[in-house]
Amino acid sequence: MAYLAELQQQTHRIEIHVAGDSACTVEIDGIPRAVDSRRIGPTTYSLLIDGRSVVADVSADGDDYTVSIAGEIFRLRLVDERRRQVALGEPEEERGRREIRALMPGKIVDILIQVGDVVVRDQGMLVIEAMKMENEVKSPAAGEVKEVFVQPGQAVEANQVLVVIE
């Protein structure tokens, strides 16, 4: 799973490689960091980053995140790299059958659509909890929801088909 993080007018490439229930390797601009993340409050996380303990308060509004660590506040925009490529003019094929897949293992928290709904590009379809954070899965294109393969509370694996739109 790769993201582009815009922080203080700089863009950083972030790749997350899940290594366990709470452990992962996070590569920031190619530099790997061992991270263990545990949710300790509604918006508070205990992070162990390369052996250093940090408590972070995180709030999200769409792709915009506010992170507070030891009184210092960071505002960043976190964008799925694939969505960014589409926005920059490298569109994927928008017609035909589209399978929306889980990018990493997680648990379905909410389903925002149902079979027969017509969705537009970037419309929220599902909410998945992964790595102690809730992420909204958005439609990559406009279309009609043909199949929904998951339900709230269900655990999903990386690359598992969640929804089909056409």
Side-chain angles (χ1 to χ4, degrees), residues 3-120:
Y3 293 96
L4 294 175
E6 298 170 1
L7 174 68
Q8 298 174 342
Q9 300 179 344
Q10 292 187 349
T11 301
H12 303 277
R13 186 169 195 278
I14 299 174
E15 284 189 59
I16 300 172
H17 308 278
V18 177
D21 187 37
S22 62
C24 64
T25 298
V26 177
E27 284 187 34
I28 302 173
D29 295 331
I31 300 172
R33 305 251 183 214
V35 176
D36 187 86
S37 169
R38 296 181 194 272
R39 186 181 224 161
I40 58 174
T43 61
T44 306
Y45 298 87
S46 174
L47 305 170
L48 193 58
I49 304 170
D50 290 337
R52 189 175 136 236
S53 179
V54 174
V55 174
D57 189 64
V58 180
S59 62
D61 181 17
D63 293 334
D64 296 319
Y65 290 80
T66 301
V67 180
S68 175
I69 299 174
E72 195 167 357
I73 296 175
F74 303 91
R75 288 185 173 75
L76 61 113
R77 175 171 287 246
L78 196 59
V79 179
D80 179 298
E81 187 176 50
R82 197 179 78 197
R83 279 192 13 224
R84 170 86 177 234
Q85 289 171 345
V86 170
L88 291 176
E90 300 172 22
E92 297 177 16
E93 181 60 47
E94 291 198 22
R95 296 178 186 232
R97 182 182 167 94
R98 311 268 324 224
E99 294 180 342
I100 291 76
R101 297 174 178 266
L103 296 177
M104 64 174 30
K107 183 175 86 177
I108 302 297
V109 174
D110 197 6
I111 298 175
L112 309 173
I113 45 87
Q114 59 186 341
V115 172
D117 284 355
V118 175
V119 296
V120 297

Side-chain angles (χ1 to χ4, degrees), residues 96-100 119 125 139-147 163-166:
R97 182 182 167 94
R98 311 268 324 224
E99 294 180 342
I100 291 76
V119 296
M125 300 176 65
S139 175
E144 180 181 345
V145 176
K146 293 295 186 183
E147 298 175 82
V163 174
V164 171
I165 61 172
E166 225 175 84

